[in-house]
Amino acid sequence: MTSVNIAKTSADNIDINNLPINSEEYKINDWLIKYKKSHILHSQCSTTEKCADSTYPPCPFCMFTNSLQLPHLPEMVFPNNVLSLTHSSGVQIEFNALDALKLVSNGELALKVSYADAWKESRDPSNLMEKIKPFDWTFSTNYSGSFSGPLHIESTEERIDIERLKEREKILFYQELMLFEDELHDNGIASCTVKIRVMPSSFFILLRYFLRVDGVMVRINDTRYFHDFSTQYILKEYTNRESPVQRLHVPLQMFGDPNLIGPHLPISMGSYEKLSWINSVTKDTGPALTT
């Protein structure tokens, strides 16, 4: 089922809450899969008087800035882009921009990102004060999703069968959502995306943070989810890959495509987990889990 909700807006005062939101849901076996997709976040408060009054809910811009307290947000944030999967047991997995950006280091931690000195040396010193911020200006995040419901998480030796994913199987549902993106003052790119594909036998999700700082380094944080519908668990794999540019002896065009450059980046860290649940008949209503 697909629905598009459209409301009339004023050209002088557009409220992002009233902008068109495209949404779709897909039901398969014990899963309800939904996505929402809409416009980017405003660059400033759209309802100043209401946001100054605590009796009103804040606009999306104020909600993001108040929750994150970063010196500034990425150039493009998609507050209404959400992918969620709900199981009949009550387990829910969701992917959204706010939770992803909550894991970006801000000024309170006084942390300097890796390769910052190399980046500074490669820039024009006349305008570095604008480029170097007292927080992780690459918006690096190891966000791997938001969980709730009776979910049990444990380490596992089992791995996602990549060869199985290469097999030709009918795709019943597919969607890709951008959560945020920033061009790092024209010195590279940082982006966070999530995509899902559903087949008759399984579903596969890839949540990816991609960073390229021109002339300095490349980083890819990938979280993969795979669920075979014949099982009562999901395999989750998180990997952090990164490398200085000078160690990557690859064609220049590869640097713009994470699918091409990714295999050339060494794995710095990886974790492998099994997410399981009790079926809907005897489900447990335990505490919510969020990461």
Side-chain angles (χ1 to χ4, degrees), residues 51-280:
C51 288
D53 187 341
S54 60
T55 61
Y56 289 94
C59 71
F61 175 81
C62 289
M63 189 267 288
F64 266 71
T65 53
N66 294 339
S67 298
L68 300 173
Q69 297 184 345
L70 295 173
H72 66 84
L73 299 176
E75 293 167 333
M76 293 191 294
V77 177
F78 296 84
N80 288 319
N81 285 12
V82 179
L83 173 66
S84 66
L85 299 89
T86 304
H87 188 261
S88 59
S89 65
V91 165
Q92 184 176 55
I93 305 173
E94 182 176 295
F95 306 91
N96 64 80
L98 181 60
D99 286 344
L101 287 169
K102 283 180 178 178
L103 297 181
V104 174
S105 297
N106 61 32
E108 295 177 359
L109 299 177
L111 294 178
K112 183 171 62 175
V113 297
S114 299
Y115 306 103
D117 289 338
W119 185 85
K120 287 176 66 175
E121 291 174 1
S122 69
R123 299 300 105 195
D124 180 355
S126 63
N127 56 2
L128 276 178
M129 290 304 294
E130 173 60 23
K131 291 182 170 66
I132 300 295
K133 304 292 183 179
F135 78 115
D136 187 347
W137 44 269
T138 69
F139 301 102
S140 290
T141 176
N142 59 1
Y143 177 62
S144 62
S146 306
F147 311 133
S148 63
L151 195 62
H152 176 69
I153 303 175
E154 60 182 337
S155 298
T156 182
E157 297 298 321
E158 188 173 354
R159 299 292 185 262
I160 295 174
D161 187 348
I162 300 300
E163 294 305 314
R164 176 177 174 178
L165 292 174
K166 294 178 182 178
E167 296 176 358
R168 298 179 68 87
E169 187 176 7
K170 183 178 180 181
I171 297 178
L172 304 174
F173 178 85
Y174 175 85
Q175 189 57 233
E176 180 174 2
L177 301 174
M178 174 71 71
L179 300 184
F180 68 81
E181 182 175 287
D182 191 280
E183 293 186 350
L184 308 178
H185 296 274
D186 296 323
N187 290 290
I189 190 169
S191 66
C192 186
T193 59
V194 60
K195 62 177 69 175
I196 181 173
R197 77 176 194 250
V198 182
M199 293 75 70
S201 66
S202 58
F203 67 67
F204 175 72
I205 298 170
L206 173 62
L207 172 68
R208 168 169 286 170
Y209 167 81
F210 173 57
L211 170 68
R212 185 190 75 247
V213 182
D214 292 338
V216 181
M217 59 89 66
V218 180
R219 173 183 296 146
I220 298 178
N221 293 341
D222 277 345
T223 307
R224 293 175 169 85
Y225 291 81
F226 177 77
H227 173 52
D228 183 323
F229 292 130
S230 67
T231 69
Q232 292 292 314
Y233 63 87
I234 297 173
L235 293 177
K236 174 191 171 191
E237 299 184 359
Y238 171 82
T239 56
N240 162 245
R241 295 174 178 267
E242 61 181 78
S243 173
V245 166
Q246 60 267 28
R247 295 182 185 174
L248 297 172
H249 304 291
V250 298
L252 185 61
Q253 59 268 25
M254 282 191 176
F255 286 91
D257 188 337
N259 293 318
L260 295 178
I261 196 68
H264 298 274
L265 303 177
I267 295 179
S268 300
M269 192 275 283
S271 65
Y272 305 87
E273 296 174 321
K274 179 182 287 187
L275 285 56
S276 57
W277 55 87
I278 303 173
N279 63 43
S280 57

Side-chain angles (χ1 to χ4, degrees), residues 13 15 44-59 61-62:
N13 187 19
D15 186 345
Q44 59 185 8
C45 177
S46 58
T47 55
T48 308
E49 293 184 1
K50 286 186 177 181
C51 288
D53 187 341
S54 60
T55 61
Y56 289 94
C59 71
F61 175 81
C62 289

